[in-house]
Amino acid sequence: MTRFLLPPDLDESFLVGALDPGHTLRLGPPERLTVTYLDTFDWRLHRAGLALTEERGRRRRLVLFQPGRDSFVVSTGSTPRTADDLPQGHLAETIGPLMDIRALVEIGELSVERRDGRVENHEGDMVARIRLERSGARAANGGSRSFASNTLRSSSSDPFNALVKAGGVEEIPPHDLEVAAEAGGRIPGGYSSKLRIRLDSEQTAGAAARTILLVLLDTVEANVPGTIDDLDTEFLHDLRAACRRSRSALTQLEGVLPPEVVAHFKTEFKWLGGITGPLRDLDVYLLEMPTYRSLLTDALAGNLEPLEKLIAKERAIAHRAVARALRSLRFNRFVESWREALENTGTDSAPLADRRIADLAAKRITKAYRRVLKRGGNLGPEPPAEALHRLRIDAKKLRYLLEFFRSLYPKTEITARIKELKRLQDILGGFNDMEVQRDRLSGYARELRSDRGVKTSSILTVGRLSGVLERRQEDFRLAFHDAFVGFSGEPARAAFGRLFGGKGSM
Amino acid sequence: MKSLAVWTIKGGVGKTSAAVNLAHAAATDGLRTLLWDLDPQGAASFYLRIPPGMEGAVESITRKRTALADLVLPTEFDNLTILPADFAYRHLDLALDATKKPRKRFAAKLDGLADRHDLVILDCPPSVSLVSETVIKTVDAVLIPVIPSTLSMRTLHQVRVFISEQGRGADVLPFLSMVDLRKKMHNELGLACLADPAFLTVAIPSASVVEKMGITRAPVAATLPSQPAARAFTALWREIRERMEI
């Protein structure tokens, strides 16, 4: 369907007059609808070139707009939140994998008055399917109407050739995502879980640090409402990642910001990390549940139900605690004063604040890189858990630095280095996850044992699961050696040295 | 993508109205549905207000390089598209016969539609011909309208024999069409049919709203959704969906 923007005062009678000769306009009765645009918080549908709306009028329907295709329409009983809520079929197959674990959130709402119909030729055959719509949006603050449009959709522009030629109409995109987003106070594509920081190599270290930390603060704040409302688990995940990165930046950019500022806010970030940790652990458990089941035989997988119930119960309690913390005076003061401190561009009373960021970045990255090489190089073929844990932390610090400063380096080069590091991190992370999860499982097994209602078979299954995880952990341990050789080999070191100027070899 | 042919060798038994109304029901149900009007009379196209006649209609089926998908047209309804009939389809038998492996070619053509459709409903010409033979050998299921009359039952038997002779296990789904419960024979034969487990259990009543489709030129559910015939087509579609596991 091609869509045209009509002049605001143009009505059906004008359109009838504008039709090419031999054509008749047939219109059905008008219908009033509320059209809500939906996407994940990080715009996964928009990024894939899609748009999804929920129409509420005489019927409740979901409409998927796909580039170069007819829009797809399906009835729905309620607004879908998760991929599992989507009606089976084309919609679920198309957007389900994109959404993955993210929920759909409301982007913005339009009110629409619609008339469907067709243009017929003199034999009553359909020449074009058409839809006339007048849409309006209300501003996010509930203020006055911020947008109103008068549009015509047509499966063929043929009957309207005269109108198009006269220049009275303008072809526009098939949907109003931009307008709805504006009404909802959002910008399409405006949020991403990926760190997007633009630095200038001539910037001072002080200015660069503030830019990085402000981007991270924006991420923290953007994810607060979704975490409190518990829309999906990624809000908390992103909030915590930004929190960890901020802490890491404060430590690793030592000497760039005033020490008293660093000390105070590091404490606050530590608090925030601590208060949100238990909820995240429980989220990971619930997200892992399907994997756990797949690791056990069907008969045993059924025994995991008491465990799942126990975790869900604990999770509800943990979520309440997090929501309370995010609404607390302490948190609100913290983010407010943190923003104030970052936006205060007065002279920094820190020794390295005026250094050129490109120099400092290369130096700090090289330092972190060497630490990883050294610690990793000291490990034998079957390293102990504690040593791998410390190496994981070092690798993470290096990763954060590479990501903070990636805009200072040639894209393909820095991306390749991050990829090499990520491969190593995946193994270290996998090993650690197994360690943490096994630890927690034995705790849960104890809790389940104390509950008389829980069958012994369930407790034994948790034990069995722990054994499976131990074997997986062992696989990670064995994979570590090769991964580290790849990461620390001569070609990788030379590439690192070329990029960051330091001597790659130790 | 699943494919369903509506076919019988007897005319006037509600074949085309079933094809159109079921396609509309499937589209409403959230399936990207294509109605392929293979009957040169073009009644299905007419019902949906689509003028018959497509440049290269026959070639799009018989020639490897011509894309069938390019000829698909929108209808007035969401999720429902159409490949309109063309009078040249009357020569489709000869054209298919001239291709090396008609069934393989036809299957490849059908596959070419899978990217954009979940279901194709084919309104086949009411005859035993190479076209119907090819379609029946290719599709997932064949839907057969049966009026509860002696002749119709006899036809069903012939059709079943024909399909089984093709040696391919397409599901055969007969259903009762144009049933008039005021007629004693319809009652008796209808009951006899429903004793056959292959029969779909939903029967389509004989109704003036269906006959009037020639005037309204729209599926019954689009104009008179609360009419018994409209409800029957929706129910029949649901039953087919279940049987075909769509």
Side-chain angles (χ1 to χ4, degrees):
Chain A
M1 297 272 266
T2 317
R3 188 167 174 237
F4 299 103
L5 184 65
L6 304 175
D9 50 347
L10 195 149
D11 62 8
E12 291 90 69
S13 57
F14 181 94
L15 213 55
V16 170
L19 279 177
D20 289 350
H23 290 136
T24 313
L25 187 68
R26 304 269 183 214
L27 285 176
E31 182 183 6
R32 279 182 182 281
L33 308 123
T34 305
V35 177
T36 309
Y37 282 75
L38 303 170
D39 204 331
T40 62
F41 187 67
D42 56 354
W43 302 98
R44 292 178 183 201
L45 306 188
H46 173 66
R47 277 180 222 283
L50 307 171
L52 178 68
T53 63
E54 185 191 17
E55 298 183 350
R56 274 162 295 160
R58 280 197 293 268
R59 286 160 298 179
R60 191 166 182 161
R61 310 192 305 174
L62 298 167
V63 182
L64 178 69
F65 294 90
Q66 300 166 277
R69 297 193 173 200
D70 290 332
S71 50
F72 172 75
V73 183
V74 63
S75 305
T76 183
S78 58
T79 308
R81 285 285 158 222
T82 66
D84 287 342
D85 299 339
L86 295 168
Q88 274 187 1
H90 180 60
L91 181 67
E93 283 158 19
T94 310
I95 72 167
L98 290 171
M99 286 169 63
D100 191 22
I101 57 171
R102 293 237 70 165
L104 292 172
V105 297
E106 288 183 10
I107 302 303
E109 202 172 86
L110 301 179
S111 50
V112 175
E113 192 182 300
R114 171 185 289 174
R115 287 189 84 177
D116 280 336
R118 64 178 177 267
V119 176
E120 286 177 8
N121 64 14
H122 58 277
E123 286 180 343
D125 291 330
M126 184 182 88
V127 179
R129 177 188 179 187
I130 65 161
R131 170 168 287 179
L132 286 167
E133 281 179 334
R134 286 179 186 276
S135 336
R138 287 189 182 281
N141 55 15
S144 62
R145 200 163 259 227
S146 61
F147 162 86
S149 79
N150 188 15
T151 62
L152 162 72
R153 276 175 225 267
S154 179
S155 62
S156 159
S157 58
D158 291 350
F160 303 104
N161 275 333
L163 192 63
V164 174
K165 266 191 203 139
V169 295
E170 177 197 341
E171 195 177 327
I172 53 167
H175 54 74
D176 288 322
L177 174 68
E178 303 271 340
V179 181
E182 196 186 322
R186 304 276 317 268
I187 300 164
Y191 178 86
S192 161
S193 295
K194 293 208 175 80
L195 204 50
R196 294 186 294 193
I197 302 171
R198 293 249 20 113
L199 299 175
D200 172 359
S201 38
E202 299 306 320
Q203 253 179 320
T204 64
R210 288 168 195 281
T211 304
I212 295 167
L213 288 162
L214 272 171
V215 168
L216 293 169
L217 176 58
D218 286 344
T219 307
V220 169
E221 288 191 306
N223 285 290
V224 167
T227 305
I228 291 176
D229 294 342
D230 208 9
L231 299 179
D232 66 41
T233 56
E234 287 301 280
F235 287 95
L236 179 71
H237 172 268
D238 284 7
L239 186 150
R240 279 176 53 77
C243 174
R244 263 196 321 271
R245 282 170 169 151
S246 302
R247 256 178 93 186
S248 185
L250 285 172
T251 311
Q252 298 198 77
L253 298 177
E254 201 190 347
V256 175
L257 293 173
E260 65 282 3
V261 170
V262 172
H264 171 65
F265 288 105
K266 257 169 86 172
T267 318
E268 291 305 276
F269 275 116
K270 193 173 178 188
W271 165 74
L272 185 57
I275 198 97
T276 51
L279 177 57
R280 176 62 195 166
D281 287 348
L282 293 160
D283 280 345
V284 170
Y285 261 111
L286 291 178
L287 292 170
E288 286 290 324
M289 234 6 132
T291 317
Y292 288 169
R293 280 202 205 91
S294 72
L295 291 171
L296 298 168
T297 58
D298 284 353
L300 285 180
N303 292 339
L304 287 179
E305 205 182 313
L307 175 67
E308 202 166 353
K309 271 191 186 153
L310 177 65
I311 296 174
K313 204 171 113 193
E314 289 197 3
R315 192 197 173 275
I317 296 166
H319 177 260
R320 278 200 293 277
V322 167
R324 230 182 354 256
L326 294 180
R327 288 197 194 101
S328 70
L329 195 59
R330 178 173 178 177
F331 177 75
N332 284 296
R333 275 202 188 134
F334 158 41
V335 288
E336 217 170 278
S337 56
W338 182 221
R339 184 171 290 282
E340 209 174 294
L342 292 173
E343 284 173 350
N344 166 21
T345 49
T347 33
D348 287 324
S349 56
L352 301 176
D354 295 330
R355 285 279 292 274
R356 193 172 159 266
I357 187 58
D359 299 338
L360 189 75
K363 212 173 148 190
R364 293 284 155 96
I365 288 173
T366 306
K367 190 176 158 194
Y369 178 61
R370 286 185 179 163
R371 202 185 300 134
V372 172
L373 285 187
K374 190 173 171 196
R375 204 188 292 278
N378 288 338
L379 298 179
E382 281 181 40
E386 183 53 34
L388 286 174
H389 171 67
R390 279 197 298 271
L391 180 62
R392 185 180 64 88
I393 304 288
D394 288 341
K396 199 173 241 185
K397 286 179 180 166
L398 173 61
R399 172 78 173 273
Y400 288 159
L401 286 174
L402 293 175
E403 285 175 348
F404 293 156
F405 299 122
R406 81 188 292 167
S407 65
L408 299 174
Y409 300 95
K411 199 177 164 188
T412 46
E413 288 287 305
I414 187 92
T415 307
R417 303 291 81 75
I418 291 175
K419 221 170 169 182
E420 284 163 10
L421 176 60
K422 189 177 176 296
R423 230 171 281 148
L424 178 66
Q425 281 187 291
D426 285 346
I427 288 172
L428 293 168
F431 181 85
N432 184 64
D433 285 351
M434 293 304 115
E435 179 81 11
V436 173
Q437 288 178 31
R438 278 178 52 208
D439 205 40
R440 286 294 285 261
L441 274 186
S442 52
Y444 284 129
R446 272 195 300 279
E447 273 186 66
L448 291 174
R449 259 202 302 274
S450 65
D451 183 343
R452 280 166 183 274
V454 174
K455 285 185 192 150
T456 313
S457 57
S458 281
I459 299 160
L460 290 177
T461 305
V462 174
R464 170 77 69 98
L465 182 59
S466 184
V468 174
L469 296 186
E470 190 175 351
R471 278 195 295 283
R472 286 184 108 198
Q473 187 177 19
E474 215 36 50
D475 292 342
F476 281 118
R477 195 202 302 268
L478 294 173
F480 165 75
H481 185 70
D482 285 349
F484 191 76
V485 168
F487 175 77
S488 61
E490 198 44 52
R493 286 188 195 214
F496 222 92
R498 276 198 303 279
L499 197 55
F500 303 107
K503 293 171 211 73
S505 56
M506 312 244 326
Chain B
M1 186 189 76
K2 296 272 188 172
S3 51
L4 171 70
V6 190
W7 181 59
T8 175
I9 48 180
K10 191 178 183 309
V13 296
K15 171 185 68 79
T16 297
S17 62
V20 170
N21 285 300
L22 291 171
H24 179 259
T28 308
D29 214 8
L31 262 70
R32 295 171 301 162
T33 307
L34 172 68
L35 178 63
W36 188 351
D37 189 356
L38 269 170
D39 188 340
Q41 298 176 75
S45 308
F46 178 80
Y47 280 159
L48 291 174
R49 291 184 182 272
I50 304 297
M54 298 184 293
E55 192 87 11
V58 170
E59 292 76 8
S60 70
I61 301 171
T62 55
R63 281 202 199 141
K64 208 172 181 176
R65 291 182 192 286
T66 323
L68 190 59
D70 293 347
L71 300 179
V72 172
L73 293 177
T75 69
E76 222 178 319
F77 307 99
D78 290 324
N79 308 337
L80 180 59
T81 49
I82 185 165
L83 266 169
D86 192 287
F87 200 49
Y89 275 167
R90 69 193 192 280
H91 303 310
L92 189 54
D93 269 322
L94 294 172
L96 269 179
D97 201 27
T99 59
K100 273 186 194 155
K101 292 176 177 164
R103 200 205 77 82
K104 216 173 154 189
R105 174 64 45 83
F106 194 79
K109 288 290 173 180
L110 212 50
D111 273 352
L113 300 166
D115 174 35
R116 294 192 172 212
H117 301 95
D118 302 310
L119 175 70
V120 176
I121 295 184
L122 303 99
D123 187 23
C124 298
S127 59
V128 179
S129 62
L130 183 60
V131 175
S132 6
E133 188 185 319
T134 309
V135 170
I136 283 154
K137 280 181 177 173
T138 315
V139 293
D140 297 307
V142 184
L143 187 70
I144 300 164
V146 179
I147 296 182
S149 71
T150 330
L151 275 184
S152 248
M153 307 281 287
R154 196 171 156 267
T155 309
L156 173 64
H157 178 71
Q158 289 169 335
V159 165
R160 278 178 152 165
V161 168
F162 178 74
I163 290 174
S164 70
E165 276 171 8
Q166 304 310 316
R168 215 185 136 268
D171 280 340
V172 178
L173 307 173
F175 72 98
L176 290 172
S177 178
M178 301 170 77
V179 177
D180 185 347
L181 291 179
R182 289 168 305 184
K183 294 180 181 164
K184 196 178 167 204
M185 192 174 67
H186 275 208
N187 271 307
E188 284 170 1
L189 285 175
L191 280 174
C193 286
L194 293 179
D196 174 350
F199 258 83
L200 293 160
T201 59
V202 177
I204 303 299
S206 162
S208 60
V209 285
V210 179
E211 284 161 26
K212 280 186 189 148
M213 279 173 66
I215 299 163
T216 59
R217 297 185 70 182
V220 185
T223 46
L224 296 161
S226 53
Q227 282 289 315
R231 290 171 190 271
F233 278 120
T234 304
L236 183 64
W237 156 246
R238 295 266 157 82
E239 197 181 359
I240 292 168
R241 184 170 192 170
E242 205 166 293
R243 284 276 282 270
M244 288 181 74
E245 293 172 5
I246 302 176

